[in-house]
């Protein structure tokens, strides 16, 4: 299953609205894949998701964010 980018209107951290950072793919146990762009601190982001969402199967940094370039 291909991942899809999460729109800005669903983002909760204002830093994610600023260009730059990394694209992070979150895969759920349901095999759904969501891609979050402009992540500035990937380690903190991954730790937060893993601590708060037990449905997560894996988290992968897929590269520098190309959104809004």
């Amino acid at each position: 299953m291909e991942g899809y980018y999460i729109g800005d209107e669903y983002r909760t951290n204002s830093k994610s609205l600023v260009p730059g950072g990394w694209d992070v793919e979150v895969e759920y146990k349901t095999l759904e894949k969501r891609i979050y762009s402009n992540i500035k601190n990937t380690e903190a982001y991954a730790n937060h998701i893993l601590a708060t969402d037990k449905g997560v199967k894996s988290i992968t940094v897929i590269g520098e964010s190309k959104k809004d370039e």
Side-chain angles (χ1 to χ4, degrees):
M1 172 184 258
E2 290 292 319
Y4 59 91
Y5 280 87
I6 300 300
D8 289 345
E9 64 272 19
Y10 299 105
R11 305 303 294 277
T12 58
N13 186 330
S14 60
K15 291 179 184 177
S16 296
L17 302 177
V18 177
W22 302 91
D23 284 351
V24 175
E25 180 183 78
V26 179
E27 182 177 359
Y28 292 86
K29 293 175 183 174
T30 62
L31 302 183
E32 175 184 21
K33 294 180 183 180
R34 298 178 190 172
I35 302 170
Y36 296 87
S37 60
N38 299 328
I39 303 301
K40 307 304 187 274
N41 185 337
T42 57
E43 185 176 351
Y45 191 79
N47 287 336
H48 176 75
I49 291 175
L50 292 171
T52 59
D53 191 338
K54 300 304 178 198
V56 172
K57 178 180 176 184
S58 68
I59 299 173
T60 306
V61 177
I62 56 176
E64 286 188 68
S65 187
K66 302 294 186 209
K67 189 173 179 197
D68 298 322
E69 280 191 348

